[in-house]
Amino acid sequence: MPSSEDVRAEPAAAPWWRSAVLYQVYPRSFADSDGDGVGDLRGITGRLDHLVDLGVDAVWLSPFYASPMVDFGYDITDHCAVDPVFGTLADVDALVAAAHARGLRVLVDVVPNHTSDRHPWFAESRSSRDSGRRDWYVWADPGPGGGPPNNWLSAFAASGPAWTLDGRTGQYYLHSYTAAQPDLNWQNAAVREAVHDVLRFWLERGVDGFRVDAAHRLVKDPTLADNPADVAHLRTALVPGGTRLRHIDQPGVHEVLREVRAVVGPDTLLLGEIGVADPTRWAAYYGSGDELVPLNPTFWSRPCTTDALRSAVDTTEAVLPPGGWPVYALGNHDLSRLATRCGSARARLAAVLLLTLRGTPLVYYGDELGMTDVPVPPEAARDPDGRDPARTPMQWDASPGAGFTTGRPWLPIPPTAGTVNVAAERADPGSLLNLYRALIRLRRRSPALRTGDYRPLPPTDPGLYAYWRQAGDQRILVALNATGRSRTVAPPGTSTGRLLLSTDPDRPLGECPDPLVLAADEAVVVESDR
Ligand code: GLC
């Protein structure tokens, strides 16, 4: 596919995504072309120019496959079919073609850990203990007393244990998420082959990569032994702690991921959802460049303080394998919105961080506007795990449906959409949207920001986080003041050069004041002249 001039300027050996900015679209909530209140593929195609205007290089689409929507598309009944609510396969083809025509690459979500309980594979598997597909899922006899086979928990509190009894065959099946999402058995070669076929199907349709859902959960301890008592209460591996859960992040997962890599080849981006807090175990998912590119979860659970941001980055840099390249995101469809977690001033500062780090940035739709969590009353709640507030419709303009739909939106549109929207922010030079646009353009123009190395300044002032990015003779200083008070960037002389950008729209750009004093919650980008 065509790539932008800047991307072409990179050395031929660097994969395209290293110098790219990625953007996540949650298809139900981006743009509704047919007025049913739910976003769809044609809607996304009709709004691709926003991505071009923003300056991103690739879009990741959360699932649009055939699904009963218990987990809104992460419960799939046919991995190679489009759910009618989103459109048709022809609509996918048109979207991919329209994206490629604009120089945008397309990543689709692949969900290898589980299917819907209504998937024909599971229907066959549960039909009898002798079914030819029984072993495609994880079945086990009841534990002592008739309860679940062991103490493993599902990821969702509302779903309770990770096991549900199938009354007809008298065994329990494993589900890492809701009971409507039985886990596939990746120890079974036929399962692995079936998922490989799904990857081939989408590659043949022209997609440029995949986001691999729950990749750290594919392999379970085959003995099905209990989780150790000290971690038995944990539902995910996102809580720091040394003891490994027996149904998450098992050593055998790396072998099956290497097989997946071999199927798609070295140039396809495999963005892995790796919900593992232990940094070394998380980094193991790079393999030796022959597994995934793990999405970095370090920002997701941290406050927006200087120390927390710095330690998230420095921890990542410290554990990366040789040649490993980070991919950072500040938000996604499973988390509270960035602007809600950090507040609006720090959301601006976080944008500077995300788009100036050494690593590929991934922007969650609407975060470029400062969309916040939208309260969803209990009677309107849709998600089994309470994640609706961060999944509300994209706010395009100030019209009643926010330019998202002419119908009744599937989740509420907040009154703030009157001002927090693409049209209004595009017209306001000081808006968050225009800060994102400026940052992405700056990154695109700057070899130091795009591909340069990263060197943090020693933390002399606990309120400041500053780092150098350098490529060739271009040196860029980024300084963030995530405190409520002004701070001087130290040492004097550090900031001589040109001030390229500030989160404060009123600060004059050009020659950099020395010493450079940052206002409360201000972040700046300076091109050094020495
Ligand atoms: C991933 C997805 C999440 C989904 C879960 C089960 O964590 O991001 O939305 O509920 O997997 O597929």
Side-chain angles (χ1 to χ4, degrees):
M1 59 152 296
S3 48
S4 78
E5 240 170 68
D6 290 329
V7 173
R8 274 199 300 267
E10 295 302 325
W16 65 267
W17 48 267
R18 283 200 177 210
S19 52
V21 178
L22 314 178
Y23 186 88
Q24 180 189 354
V25 162
Y26 193 68
R28 289 185 77 85
S29 292
F30 202 59
D32 169 23
S33 72
D34 59 8
D36 67 356
V38 176
D40 48 49
L41 294 166
R42 286 184 185 203
I44 297 169
T45 305
R47 292 291 193 175
L48 287 177
D49 286 338
H50 171 65
L51 276 58
V52 175
D53 180 63
L54 188 58
V56 303
D57 304 279
V59 56
W60 149 33
L61 304 170
S62 282
F64 48 76
Y65 314 113
S67 167
M69 305 291 168
V70 172
D71 191 11
F72 291 106
Y74 284 97
D75 50 320
I76 297 171
T77 50
D78 183 345
H79 299 80
C80 300
V82 174
D83 195 275
V85 79
F86 296 122
T88 62
L89 274 178
D91 293 331
V92 180
D93 294 342
L95 193 164
V96 171
H100 285 177
R102 289 165 173 78
L104 293 167
R105 288 179 164 95
V106 179
L107 311 178
V108 296
D109 222 305
V110 62
V111 185
N113 180 69
H114 46 269
T115 66
S116 162
D117 61 344
R118 296 193 221 162
H119 194 296
W121 297 342
F122 189 68
E124 201 181 324
S125 182
R126 87 186 306 174
S127 65
S128 103
R129 289 191 185 208
D130 304 324
S131 153
R133 285 217 165 92
R134 187 66 168 180
D135 189 48
W136 278 44
Y137 294 83
V138 183
W139 291 97
D141 289 334
N150 64 28
N151 66 358
W152 298 356
L153 296 176
S154 84
F156 299 150
S159 302
W163 297 96
T164 289
L165 181 65
D166 175 56
R168 199 143 59 96
T169 57
Q171 283 191 309
Y172 281 81
Y173 64 89
L174 180 69
H175 51 87
S176 291
Y177 297 90
T178 68
Q181 294 163 289
D183 280 28
L184 285 162
N185 174 15
W186 273 73
Q187 320 270 1
N188 182 323
V191 166
R192 299 201 294 273
E193 194 47 45
V195 177
H196 297 167
D197 283 345
V198 171
L199 297 167
R200 291 186 188 104
F201 176 88
W202 290 107
L203 283 176
E204 278 161 24
R205 291 204 101 85
V207 308
D208 303 284
F210 301 92
R211 180 266 192 178
V212 186
D213 187 70
H216 56 306
R217 287 182 179 260
L218 298 187
V219 171
K220 284 85 185 175
D221 179 344
T223 69
L224 303 184
D226 272 347
N227 274 325
D230 60 325
V231 287
H233 62 288
L234 297 182
R235 301 189 165 276
T236 68
L238 276 170
V239 181
T243 312
R244 203 186 278 266
L245 291 159
R246 293 205 163 102
H247 62 311
I248 306 178
D249 184 36
Q250 289 296 294
V253 73
H254 297 287
E255 189 181 328
V256 303
L257 292 175
R258 282 195 294 274
E259 279 181 20
V260 167
R261 168 58 70 193
V263 169
V264 303
D267 299 330
T268 300
L269 176 55
L270 288 176
L271 214 48
E273 183 198 22
I274 307 298
V276 176
D278 180 278
T280 314
R281 296 211 312 252
W282 168 82
Y285 286 80
Y286 283 91
S288 50
D290 54 355
E291 294 185 35
L292 309 177
V293 179
L295 272 164
N296 191 306
T298 48
F299 289 135
W300 299 351
S301 52
R302 295 190 197 217
C304 294
T305 63
T306 313
D307 284 354
L309 298 174
R310 184 207 323 259
S311 89
V313 176
D314 291 351
T315 305
T316 303
E317 287 283 337
V319 296
L320 285 177
W325 183 262
V327 176
Y328 291 106
L330 294 165
N332 66 37
H333 62 291
D334 296 330
L335 296 177
S336 174
R337 283 267 181 195
L338 172 65
T340 298
R341 297 193 326 267
C342 295
S344 55
R346 300 243 169 117
R348 293 176 74 84
L349 184 136
V352 174
L353 175 73
L354 179 70
L355 290 156
T356 59
L357 277 176
R358 189 186 90 98
T360 300
L362 167 58
V363 179
Y364 181 52
Y365 85 95
D367 278 357
E368 75 276 29
L369 306 175
M371 281 175 59
T372 45
D373 285 354
V374 178
V376 176
E379 63 282 7
R382 310 291 296 266
D383 180 57
D385 197 37
R387 296 164 294 183
D388 296 322
R391 298 177 173 181
T392 58
M394 179 70 170
Q395 296 164 193
W396 296 100
D397 60 36
S399 67
F404 164 73
T405 185
T406 53
R408 194 180 143 76
W410 77 288
L411 284 175
I413 292 170
T416 47
T419 50
V420 179
N421 66 62
V422 174
E425 293 196 33
R426 190 68 176 74
D428 170 7
S431 69
L432 183 61
L433 175 60
N434 278 320
L435 178 65
Y436 268 86
R437 292 177 68 245
L439 280 162
I440 293 173
R441 270 159 188 73
L442 190 58
R443 186 178 177 93
R444 185 178 285 283
R445 282 201 313 269
S446 160
L449 289 181
R450 223 167 45 237
T451 57
D453 59 12
Y454 160 87
R455 218 155 26 83
L457 262 66
T460 43
D461 180 335
L464 269 186
Y465 173 23
Y467 48 90
W468 288 106
R469 301 289 321 279
Q470 178 162 8
D473 49 17
Q474 187 184 40
R475 262 158 62 87
I476 301 260
L477 176 74
V478 181
L480 314 168
N481 174 17
T483 74
R485 281 173 297 144
S486 66
R487 283 281 186 282
T488 303
V489 176
T494 310
S495 51
T496 68
R498 272 192 322 131
L499 188 66
L500 300 177
L501 180 139
S502 164
T503 48
D504 176 357
D506 297 327
R507 185 191 270 278
L509 301 181
E511 195 181 336
C512 187
D514 183 24
L516 172 60
V517 180
L518 299 191
D521 293 329
E522 187 184 15
V524 294
V525 182
V526 176
E527 180 163 18
S528 170
D529 57 9
R530 34 176 92 182

